[in-house]
Amino acid sequence: EMRILAFLTLLHACAAFSPSPAPFGRSAVSLRPASAAQSPRSSPTGGLLGLRLADAGYGWTNRPPTSISSDNVREAATRVSVSGSVSIQGAEIKYDYLPGDGPTIMYLPALNRTRHGGVANSLKTWCRGNGRSFFVADYFGVGQSEGDYKDASISRWNDDTCTLIEWLGKEHGQTEVVIVGAGVGGWVMLHTAQKMAASVVGLVGVAADPDFTEDLVMPNLSEEVKKKIMNEGSSDFEWGGKTYTLTKTMVEDGKAMTLLDKGENSIDVDIPVHLIQGLGDEEIPPEKALRLSECIKGEEVVITYVKHGSHELESDADFKRIHTAIAEIDRFLGKLSWSRSIRAPV
């Protein structure tokens, strides 16, 4: 009887201190460690969004505030992206933007690819489910963006990307980005990371292909194609079983924008970098990821090789690897922010 009485007393005490249920139609948000946060599938307050709503000062400090209030958590997973354009150097650059928490995930497509590819759609879906902001744009001269492709170059795309990052900060309060660059997008992102060091906090290269015009394509093109490029301004060519268009402007600009010919630690990037490279890549040699790793100044560089992985890396498993790389960068930045905060003077 004494044991039963003690048990009933304990139950009564627990009930007295339990929180009151949330009002109908609203979510009860509780503070929990990041490792215990519920997944977006099981709760609308999962992941980073749930932690932000629970306590803006918990965990990763100094992040941009969420644009989603606790009253709208249930709508977070169904919010839609907006399309628009930004005028840069006389050309309208078309973009898609999904509002959410920062740092914004910015995607830079591969050569001759628009902003509506498989990786872009996968990233947008992942960001929507995790309460993250997402941004992607068509390059100058590509897709729906204005401009003559013959005038496009790595320099131009780099300048435009820097301008778009500044625009994100001014228009949406998103002052930091994690860039995912595929193919030539990996070349652009490395230049952008050096030019916008205060804003770019992480990089994910998907078959990143810096210097491809100089060290891969031009040395292997036929003399006929080379003459057509230099005399007529552009030419189509077959590479890895696909058809691409290479321009004289791209070739000449590429000589000035090379990165891998400067030696070890020559790329002034000291942020977390994840390089995902297929061993079955039909367009670039897999060891290029190793060369790039040696040239990057920072120590936080991780390479993931995918057995039989193609150049596109667009299978469901590949998409998960990209998402995981972003999550790893988030964790690294969170630990770095926490370490700095505890060392800060009180």
Side-chain angles (χ1 to χ4, degrees):
E1 291 179 353
M2 291 297 293
R3 291 180 179 178
I4 295 175
L5 179 62
F7 178 73
L8 292 175
T9 303
L10 178 61
L11 285 179
H12 179 75
C14 291
F17 285 96
S18 63
S20 58
F24 179 77
R26 295 184 61 180
S27 299
V29 181
S30 61
L31 181 61
R32 70 188 70 206
S35 59
Q38 294 177 336
S39 68
R41 290 179 179 270
S42 61
S43 168
T45 58
L48 295 174
L49 180 60
L51 290 176
R52 178 67 55 78
L53 294 172
D55 182 354
Y58 178 78
W60 185 350
T61 61
N62 300 320
R63 285 186 296 172
T66 179
S67 58
I68 305 171
S69 66
S70 57
D71 290 334
N72 297 321
V73 173
R74 292 189 182 278
E75 286 75 33
T78 60
R79 68 196 194 287
V80 296
S81 61
V82 294
S83 298
S85 65
V86 178
S87 180
I88 304 177
Q89 300 182 53
E92 293 296 318
I93 304 301
K94 296 291 184 178
Y95 70 83
D96 293 331
Y97 174 68
L98 178 72
D101 279 2
T104 295
I105 307 304
M106 171 179 271
Y107 178 61
L108 301 180
L111 186 68
N112 297 166
R113 299 294 185 265
T114 71
R115 70 186 192 275
H116 295 137
V119 175
N121 292 333
S122 169
L123 286 171
K124 185 188 296 184
T125 300
W126 184 86
C127 287
R128 181 179 288 115
N130 285 274
R132 296 293 291 274
S133 58
F134 173 74
F135 183 90
V136 61
D138 281 334
Y139 294 128
F140 170 88
V142 178
Q144 295 180 330
S145 287
E146 294 181 347
D148 189 338
Y149 185 72
K150 286 186 177 182
D151 298 326
S153 65
I154 303 301
S155 296
R156 171 68 197 241
W157 292 344
N158 174 46
D159 290 342
D160 289 354
T161 301
C162 293
T163 300
L164 290 170
I165 292 174
E166 293 175 344
W167 176 85
L168 278 170
K170 293 177 182 178
E171 294 296 321
H172 298 283
Q174 296 290 353
T175 58
E176 295 181 332
V177 297
V178 172
I179 301 179
V180 180
V184 72
W187 192 356
V188 175
M189 78 176 184
L190 291 163
H191 282 287
T192 302
Q194 294 179 90
K195 192 173 182 179
M196 302 289 289
S199 298
V200 181
V201 297
L203 301 175
V204 179
V206 182
D209 196 8
D211 304 2
F212 79 92
T213 53
E214 280 297 290
D215 65 7
L216 285 179
V217 176
M218 288 302 288
N220 291 285
L221 290 180
S222 67
E223 289 302 318
E224 181 182 356
V225 173
K226 290 180 183 178
K227 288 180 180 179
K228 187 175 181 180
I229 291 174
M230 303 312 292
N231 295 334
E232 299 180 20
S234 70
S235 177
D236 291 342
F237 67 99
E238 296 293 323
W239 191 261
K242 305 177 189 66
T243 301
Y244 291 98
T245 301
L246 188 61
T247 67
K248 179 180 178 180
T249 300
M250 188 77 71
V251 171
E252 293 180 339
D253 179 76
K255 295 178 181 178
M257 297 294 282
T258 55
L259 291 168
L260 303 181
D261 57 349
K262 310 291 192 304
E264 292 186 12
N265 302 321
S266 57
I267 301 176
D268 192 12
V269 168
D270 194 9
I271 54 178
V273 178
H274 282 242
L275 303 174
I276 304 174
Q277 175 63 54
L279 290 175
D281 195 318
E282 64 279 10
E283 298 191 27
I284 64 175
E287 58 267 22
K288 193 164 197 177
L290 293 173
R291 288 182 59 201
L292 177 53
S293 174
E294 291 176 351
C295 292
I296 294 174
K297 178 181 178 181
E299 295 294 324
E300 192 63 26
V301 181
V302 176
I303 300 175
T304 298
Y305 277 113
V306 183
K307 187 177 182 180
H308 306 308
S310 67
H311 184 65
E312 286 80 8
L313 292 172
E314 289 191 342
S315 70
D316 289 341
D318 294 327
F319 294 153
K320 289 180 181 178
R321 292 184 185 96
I322 297 171
H323 305 161
T324 300
I326 296 172
E328 288 295 329
I329 289 175
D330 284 344
R331 279 191 283 271
F332 177 84
L333 295 174
K335 291 178 182 178
L336 185 63
S337 177
W338 177 81
S339 176
R340 287 173 177 171
S341 66
I342 64 173
R343 291 199 304 267
V346 179

